[in-house]
Amino acid sequence: MAAVRGSPKPWKVQAVEEIKRLFTTYPVFALATFRGVPSGQMQKIRRDFREFAVIKVTKNTLIEKAVKALGGDYERVLDFLGDQVAVVATNLNPFKLYKKLEETKVPSPLKPGQVSPVDVVVEKGPTSFPPGPVIGDLQAGGIPAAIEKGKIVIKETVTVVKAGEVVRPEVAKALELLEIKPVKVGLDVRMVYENGIIFTPDMLAIDTAKVAEDFANAYRNALNLAVNAAYVTPETAEILIAKAVMDARNLAINAVIFEKDVMEDIIAKAHTNMLALASHLSEDALDEELKTMLSSVPTTTETKKEAAEETKEEEEKEEEEEEESEEEAIEGLGALFG
């Protein structure tokens, strides 16, 4: 007589329906592994995510049943099932969700018997430990420790465990004593789903600071090009007008065009040129007034130095004004990456 399969347990049916509801109600959801995450840390993650996401932990077989029941593009999620996974459903876009999930990771020590995902290097140098049994624990963990000037020191830099190696208990204890936490533990994204599109971690891991910097540099280069090409836009108009005023003023002074705005500068320049010419004459050719003027004027070298400094100051002031205009326009870029 053939065996009759019993009805599925109510909690399993409820779990499948809950997964289906999350997948169809929220525009974005992720599968993230949580193996090795302590219960206290997991509870904190749930509290922190409560305002913008729902976290559901259930068996892979139940997630698989929910996905197959939905069919269509959802079935692509099956390729990412495995290990201990949590479903994280949200209204955030995939990139913001990925960033939030990455922020759940905290530094953690290696545990005995764990396969190290990274090379662990202990740098040489002093420790905070006084002479005592600790030195034996460090040496047992493969760390060249010794006593110098009343302190335990590490004599040379050493790799105590390589990526892919099983962590020996002695190594784990030594690293814990040195408070070395080489790995990060938290929710590890396997994929994020949005409207039939699957995003993997390599697609979502974007350096927002670098992107913001690239935008700022591109804006700055475009602004410089527009200013040098005299291309008028709301961002360049003020800079171009200031540059035009300065160029016109310099032209008027050098061409000795008698306009009221530059008369004072033309007279000052003529006076300086007169004194420079007088300085080359013999004293017999000078009257008392010119002698008095020349005695109070710095030497030619000092005059040139002061003139160069004044020119430099004017150029720096002009650059600062341009930079201030650029910075004001760039301020809005930060909002794109908030």
Side-chain angles (χ1 to χ4, degrees):
M1 183 176 179
V4 178
R5 175 180 292 181
S7 300
K9 295 181 179 180
W11 71 267
K12 290 185 177 181
V13 175
Q14 184 178 357
V16 170
E17 291 302 316
E18 175 65 9
I19 296 298
K20 288 167 62 179
R21 186 188 69 81
L22 292 177
F23 283 4
T24 55
T25 301
Y26 289 89
V28 174
F29 65 84
L31 294 183
T33 59
F34 59 92
R35 181 174 293 277
V37 178
S39 59
Q41 183 182 350
M42 194 66 182
Q43 290 173 5
K44 182 179 183 303
I45 293 171
R46 287 181 180 276
R47 290 195 301 270
D48 293 342
F49 275 52
R50 191 172 297 161
E51 294 183 1
F52 58 86
V54 177
I55 299 177
K56 177 71 175 178
V57 175
T58 190
K59 293 183 177 181
N60 287 341
T61 54
L62 300 180
I63 298 175
E64 182 179 353
K65 287 181 181 295
V67 168
K68 288 183 175 180
L70 292 172
D73 289 331
Y74 290 104
E75 293 194 3
R76 298 169 60 195
V77 174
L78 297 175
D79 296 334
F80 299 91
L81 287 176
D83 205 357
Q84 298 174 327
V85 298
V87 175
V88 184
T90 183
N91 289 315
L92 297 179
N93 69 55
F95 296 93
K96 287 186 177 180
L97 176 59
Y98 177 80
K99 185 178 180 181
K100 292 286 187 183
L101 291 168
E102 285 294 295
E103 289 172 354
T104 66
K105 297 179 179 180
V106 297
S108 177
L110 290 172
K111 298 178 181 178
Q114 178 182 354
V115 176
S116 177
V118 295
D119 291 345
V120 181
V121 178
V122 178
E123 301 288 343
K124 70 176 182 179
T127 72
S128 60
F129 300 113
V134 172
I135 191 171
D137 294 329
L138 296 178
Q139 291 173 343
I143 299 173
I147 298 175
E148 290 182 3
K149 298 179 180 179
K151 291 285 185 180
I152 295 177
V153 298
I154 298 169
K155 298 294 291 181
E156 60 184 56
T157 300
V158 61
T159 302
V160 294
V161 61
K162 294 183 178 180
E165 291 182 350
V166 176
V167 181
R168 296 185 294 112
E170 298 84 0
V171 173
K173 183 176 181 180
L175 294 176
E176 185 177 1
L177 286 170
L178 293 172
E179 297 184 349
I180 294 176
K181 300 177 180 181
V183 295
K184 288 188 175 183
V185 174
L187 296 182
D188 197 15
V189 178
R190 301 192 69 142
M191 72 92 208
V192 179
Y193 177 99
E194 181 186 36
N195 298 326
I197 301 174
I198 298 289
F199 295 90
T200 52
D202 60 307
M203 300 165 63
L204 298 168
I206 294 177
D207 187 345
T208 55
K210 178 65 168 58
V211 173
E213 182 182 352
D214 290 343
F215 268 104
N217 287 334
Y219 176 87
R220 188 174 294 110
N221 292 336
L223 185 65
N224 288 336
L225 175 62
V227 170
N228 291 323
Y231 185 76
V232 181
T233 69
E235 293 79 12
T236 63
E238 184 177 349
I239 300 173
L240 288 171
I241 292 171
K243 185 175 183 295
V245 169
M246 184 168 293
D247 291 344
R249 185 180 184 85
N250 290 336
L251 175 62
I253 293 171
N254 292 321
V256 194
I257 298 173
F258 296 142
E259 289 290 337
K260 63 178 181 179
D261 293 331
V262 295
M263 283 301 297
E264 185 176 342
D265 295 304
I266 290 174
I267 293 171
K269 183 180 178 184
H271 182 75
T272 301
N273 291 339
M274 180 270 293
L275 291 177
L277 177 61
S279 66
H280 293 287
L281 300 176
S282 64
E283 289 192 5
D284 296 339
L286 302 177
D287 59 19
E288 293 302 321
E289 185 179 2
L290 274 176
K291 289 179 180 180
T292 303
M293 288 183 184
L294 288 174
S295 65
S296 62
V297 173
T299 63
T300 304
T301 303
E302 291 175 344
T303 303
K304 290 181 178 179
K305 184 178 178 182
E306 289 179 0
E309 289 178 352
E310 289 178 2
T311 303
K312 184 178 179 182
E313 288 177 1
E314 289 179 1
E315 291 175 351
E316 289 178 351
K317 184 177 180 181
E318 183 180 354
E319 289 176 0
E320 287 176 2
E321 290 175 353
E322 290 185 7
E323 287 176 0
E324 287 176 3
S325 299
E326 292 175 10
E327 289 173 359
E328 289 175 1
I330 290 173
E331 285 179 357
L333 288 173
L336 295 174
F337 306 96

